[in-house]
Amino acid sequence: MASLGKITRRALLFGAAAVAGGAAFGYWYVATPYSNPLEGDLAEGEATFNPYVKIATDNTITVIAPRAEMGQGISTTLAAMVAEELDVPLEGLKVEHGPASWAYYNAAMIEEGGPFAFYDESVTAEIMRSVMGGVSKIFGLQGTGGSASTRDGFIKMRQAGAAARLMLVAAAATRLQVPAAELETAGAAILHKASGRSLTYGEVAIDAAKLSPPSDPPLKPKSDWTLLGKPQKRVDMLAKVTGAPIFGMDMVLPDMLFGTVKLSPRFWAKPLKADLSKAEKMPGMIKIVPLATNYGHGFGIIAKNTWAAFKAADAIEAEWDVPEYPLDTAAIAKVLTDALSSPDGSAMRDDGDVDVAFADAPAEKLVEAEYWVPYLAHAAMEPMNATARLKDGVLDLWAGNQAPTITRRLCATALQLDEVKVNIHTPSLGGGFGRRVEADFSLCAALMAKETDGRPIKVVWTREQDLRQDAYRPAAAGKFQARLGDDGLPVALDMKVSSPSVIASTLRRLFPSIPPLGPDKTIVDGAYNQPYTIANYRVTGIAAPVTIPVGSWRSVGNSFNGFFHECFMDEIAAAGKTDPVELRKKLMAVYPAAVTVVEKVAAMAKWGEALPAGKAKGIAFTLSFGSWVGEVVQVAQTPSGIRIEKVWIAADVGTALDPGIIEAQLISGAIYGLSAAVGQEITFANGAVEQSNFHDFDAMRIHQCPEFEVAIIENFHKMGGVGEIGTPPAAPALANAIFALTGKRIRSLPLGKEVAFV
């Protein structure tokens, strides 16, 4: 655990601000639930019991799963939580995302935002988690991210189903004139066995909704679960395989116009001059409007069809101001590497006395390395898009987004509307990975809707615009030093990581009135909070002053610190002549969950068994988002290059609510991480992004993907997340396997710049 004294002075600044804010708002505000947003928009014959459940007299049951469905299966798992307690089959429900509402705030998304590791359950750590959850409530942060949706919904969604069931039973008892204790529920019906009489939920829904809901309804024990803990059919699968119009790109409204954007290729830079004459004369053109948002500057093109808008955007000739950041990748890299020598960093972990431990270290006991990772784009398969209609002072916005209340607030501010005049409709997302937390595409559509005289406009970004106007995974540099003991194990470890601050960058765009307070722990996430016990252990994060927009990319700081930390652990093992698996088991011995995962994945991969010539394995472990994950990657040398043959994954998620979805997400996350490791990077020239499409920012193709074997473990007493946890160990396990195969230690990504892959 990190030194509490140093954390208290530095890293608790944000926590102190949160406590002060909580006091200002008052305990009453934090403890009082928000009103039910469903009450004002019920159909005839429909009743609502809480923000998550609606039941109609025809026995139609609708569950609100207020987290973005972007392929991770969250709408299925959240609906199953309600269905479990409501005693209805999953296929007996309709599932909707629901409106933007503070009632759907995601406390778990920022509960772990303090400086404490997930396994730290000290009083101070628990107080901080409580404070951070309160901050989420105060700000009404309805969002999908941080692998937090199941953790946040696990109690509240089940309680919603349980409360509704008890209210329905109470209403049925009154109707049947029998004690409620004599009634049973199953299949959306209430049965009185003694008399053989029954009522459907729909028949008593209106009466039941008038009752006061129980404040703390009892929940089923795990032993009684019939849905949770088992793989379920995805509630959105039929719509997807039949091509139903469920995505933002599918939006069609009467009298609709179409548009796109041309934004400054240099972030934050204004146009010095622009020639719009050619674009304005293009067939199908209607209007070109200037755009200025929290994200920067550019032009919105309004046309009769999307193709006309695209062609007109290409015809705009503009000269842009110089950027506020270095012009090219080399200059950016120098800022990051120079920052490693800055005295301004924050030691998020500082155990023992690192300086003393290194003071007299003989050269032969030292292990030193420097690492680098590039910027990365999200590259969601569905490009950014939004449809907006501003009519009679009301904005309706249809946009696949991960943060409805933030999107609503920013659009309301941009159009000078009250938030109650902004309706956010959230369809399924064709990929998100953190990109659709951002509101840039929604803001552009909202501003363009001001110019269409009440007609709706569907604004679609080109793939090129999408790739060149992202809030990227930041580049990062690392400098690492270890001192080995006589047994080959590290007695001291000093890690310095520099990266642009995701928190500061995100606040600039989403909360421009809030200044960043304290250090940004995302810079060292995946390094400072790993369950390794080393007597002298320091991890320092330095915020590098590069203002290219950066944001939440699948697993955030864990994505690069997993690579840094676990590759350096492999270097320590090699220098100390210790087996990489044994090294991790010894250093994590006081954390049984970690040791079990490492032992399990090693056993699955038959670690230690002799391999044929030209094949090798690498291992990595990362604790992220509350889940303990080990991965082993096997590679093979072929005449054409290195082939990634197989990946083994063991993950302790505490409680596995849907093993099928968990396995799919572990594999998905690993492929996402391997894709970045093999060949992805965003580079800059003359202040602009060089990459433009999948030809120069590609993901792994089907023929490149390895075989996977997954083990899901439920040992730890707290539930972990799932959506991002497969990503952090993927790159280091691959890099470590390449070292085992070739003897070549690659310390920068993408690995494809040093070796060929097939």
Side-chain angles (χ1 to χ4, degrees):
M1 185 176 70
S3 168
L4 181 57
K6 293 172 185 176
I7 281 181
T8 302
R9 290 197 305 272
R10 297 176 174 179
L12 292 189
L13 287 174
F14 182 75
V19 171
F25 278 89
Y27 174 78
W28 177 87
Y29 183 86
V30 175
T32 302
Y34 286 111
S35 60
N36 185 349
L38 305 179
E39 289 178 346
D41 193 30
L42 294 173
E44 182 70 27
E46 197 171 45
T48 179
F49 296 78
N50 48 60
Y52 305 98
V53 179
K54 295 188 296 184
I55 300 178
T57 53
D58 64 0
N59 218 27
T60 298
I61 301 171
T62 302
V63 169
I64 304 300
R67 302 291 175 252
E69 177 55 75
M70 48 190 168
Q72 82 279 39
I74 194 58
S75 57
T76 300
T77 301
L78 292 180
M81 293 179 192
V82 174
E84 183 69 73
E85 299 293 341
L86 196 54
D87 278 346
V88 297
L90 192 55
E91 58 270 22
L93 301 174
K94 287 174 56 182
V95 184
E96 298 176 357
H97 181 278
S101 172
W102 296 331
Y104 301 122
Y105 72 94
N106 188 339
M109 189 167 64
I110 65 169
E111 276 180 352
E112 295 294 334
F116 299 96
F118 183 75
Y119 49 80
D120 183 349
E121 296 179 290
S122 64
V123 172
T124 308
E126 291 301 314
I127 289 173
M128 174 57 73
R129 292 184 181 106
S130 178
V131 167
M132 297 299 284
V135 170
S136 181
K137 168 116 191 287
I138 289 168
F139 285 102
L141 293 176
Q142 179 188 7
T144 306
S147 295
S149 296
T150 53
R151 288 179 288 159
D152 182 75
F154 184 58
I155 298 298
K156 65 176 68 169
M157 299 295 287
R158 292 162 66 212
Q159 285 181 334
R165 189 183 69 83
L166 290 175
M167 295 163 72
L168 292 162
V169 168
T174 300
R175 181 85 61 90
L176 298 174
Q177 297 186 325
V178 299
E182 294 182 8
L183 298 176
E184 299 178 5
T185 55
I190 306 149
L191 174 66
H192 185 244
K193 280 190 175 181
S195 65
R197 292 177 296 166
S198 66
L199 294 166
T200 67
Y201 284 176
E203 289 177 294
V204 295
I206 301 296
D207 290 341
K210 297 175 183 176
L211 302 175
S212 297
S215 60
D216 190 19
L219 302 176
K220 287 184 182 180
K222 187 176 181 180
S223 57
D224 291 345
W225 287 353
T226 59
L227 297 174
L228 297 177
K230 301 177 178 63
Q232 301 298 327
K233 293 181 180 178
R234 297 277 290 268
V235 297
D236 57 345
M237 191 56 68
L238 179 63
K240 287 182 176 178
V241 300
T242 57
I246 62 173
F247 297 99
M249 289 288 284
D250 300 322
M251 193 66 197
V252 176
L253 292 171
D255 205 26
M256 190 161 71
L257 296 174
F258 301 85
T260 193
V261 296
K262 181 160 187 170
L263 304 176
S264 172
R266 294 173 168 176
F267 296 102
W268 314 114
K270 296 180 179 180
L272 297 176
K273 59 181 179 179
D275 182 356
L276 309 181
S277 58
K278 293 180 182 177
E280 290 171 336
K281 296 174 183 176
M282 299 291 289
M285 262 300 302
I286 295 176
K287 186 185 292 187
I288 298 175
V289 298
L291 295 174
T293 72
N294 294 354
Y295 290 79
H297 305 269
F299 300 96
I301 298 91
I302 302 171
K304 295 179 180 179
N305 59 70
T306 300
W307 182 246
F310 284 175
K311 297 301 289 182
D314 288 340
I316 293 175
E317 297 177 358
E319 180 182 337
W320 305 93
D321 204 350
V322 295
E324 60 185 46
Y325 49 84
L327 288 175
D328 57 42
T329 296
I332 293 167
K334 186 177 186 305
V335 173
L336 267 64
T337 53
D338 287 350
L340 292 171
S341 301
S342 169
D344 298 331
S346 297
M348 294 292 290
R349 180 169 187 164
D350 199 352
D351 299 344
D353 196 324
V354 172
D355 292 330
V356 170
F358 278 104
D360 61 348
E364 66 272 14
K365 294 294 185 181
L366 291 178
V367 184
E368 297 176 311
E370 294 186 4
Y371 282 81
W372 164 265
V373 295
Y375 288 91
L376 291 172
H378 295 80
M381 192 58 64
E382 179 190 18
M384 299 303 105
N385 68 90
T387 299
R389 180 182 61 207
L390 181 61
K391 188 173 183 179
D392 300 327
V394 175
L395 175 70
D396 281 280
L397 183 87
W398 293 263
N401 73 93
Q402 292 175 242
T405 53
I406 292 175
T407 299
R408 180 179 64 183
R409 175 177 51 80
L410 291 175
C411 287
T413 300
L415 297 182
Q416 297 182 312
L417 296 173
D418 191 293
E419 286 191 37
V420 299
K421 299 292 187 180
V422 177
N423 302 313
I424 305 298
H425 311 274
T426 304
S428 294
L429 285 58
F433 316 118
R435 174 62 178 92
R436 285 182 160 94
V437 169
E438 306 296 334
D440 47 355
F441 52 97
S442 297
L443 282 167
C444 289
L447 290 170
M448 292 166 69
K450 287 180 63 177
E451 309 294 330
T452 61
D453 298 321
R455 295 175 66 180
I457 180 168
K458 180 178 181 178
V459 180
V460 178
W461 293 28
T462 63
R463 177 72 63 190
E464 290 76 11
Q465 193 74 204
D466 188 4
L467 209 61
R468 289 173 170 167
Q469 293 291 333
D470 204 342
Y472 300 95
R473 197 289 302 275
K479 187 174 184 178
F480 310 108
Q481 186 179 45
R483 177 178 178 173
L484 304 184
D486 293 337
D487 58 358
L489 297 179
V491 297
L493 183 64
D494 193 14
M495 294 187 161
K496 293 182 179 179
V497 180
S498 71
S499 170
S501 170
V502 167
I503 298 300
S505 185
T506 300
L507 287 175
R508 178 176 181 175
R509 300 185 302 274
L510 301 185
F511 298 94
S513 63
I514 300 177
L517 295 171
D520 180 357
K521 85 179 191 79
T522 68
I523 295 173
V524 288
D525 248 345
Y528 87 96
N529 49 6
Q530 296 306 289
Y532 288 86
T533 301
I534 299 170
N536 306 284
Y537 194 161
R538 183 168 62 201
V539 182
T540 303
I542 303 106
V546 180
T547 59
I548 292 165
V550 292
S552 296
W553 186 92
R554 195 172 191 171
S555 78
V556 203
N558 297 280
S559 67
F560 53 83
N561 282 305
F563 175 67
F564 292 165
H565 192 279
E566 288 300 290
C567 284
F568 193 58
M569 283 295 171
D570 211 62
E571 295 206 46
I572 291 171
K577 297 181 172 53
T578 306
D579 178 82
V581 168
E582 293 304 313
L583 175 86
R584 287 169 172 81
K585 288 169 59 179
K586 290 175 181 177
L587 295 181
M588 297 192 290
V590 297
Y591 300 102
V595 173
T596 299
V597 162
V598 170
E599 289 179 335
K600 179 63 176 178
V601 78
M604 292 163 61
K606 296 182 172 59
W607 186 272
E609 287 191 2
L611 286 170
K615 296 192 178 189
K617 293 172 183 169
I619 188 170
F621 169 93
T622 308
L623 168 61
S624 65
F625 306 98
S627 292
W628 317 66
V629 184
E631 296 185 14
V632 172
V633 172
Q634 179 172 306
V635 295
Q637 186 69 64
T638 76
S640 302
I642 292 173
R643 163 110 183 122
I644 306 172
E645 288 192 320
K646 187 165 183 177
V647 177
W648 294 266
I649 306 175
D652 186 346
V653 299
T655 301
L657 296 178
D658 190 316
I661 287 177
I662 293 172
E663 180 175 351
Q665 284 304 294
L666 286 167
I667 293 172
S668 166
I671 291 174
Y672 203 74
L674 291 172
S675 293
V678 166
Q680 292 180 345
E681 63 176 337
I682 290 294
T683 57
F684 290 83
N686 199 26
V689 172
E690 293 186 286
Q691 289 70 29
S692 63
N693 211 312
F694 286 128
H695 72 283
D696 53 8
F697 193 86
D698 207 0
M700 293 183 77
R701 299 301 175 124
I702 290 176
H703 73 275
Q704 296 174 298
C705 285
E707 178 186 353
F708 282 89
E709 184 179 332
V710 174
I712 299 168
I713 302 168
E714 299 181 84
N715 282 345
F716 200 62
H717 60 276
K718 291 197 297 185
M719 181 186 294
V722 172
E724 300 167 86
I725 62 174
T727 300
L734 174 58
N736 293 340
I738 290 172
F739 172 75
L741 178 71
T742 66
K744 185 179 180 124
R745 183 70 69 182
I746 306 177
R747 298 188 177 98
S748 64
L749 296 180
L751 302 171
K753 296 178 80 169
E754 302 268 348
V755 295
F757 289 92
V758 294

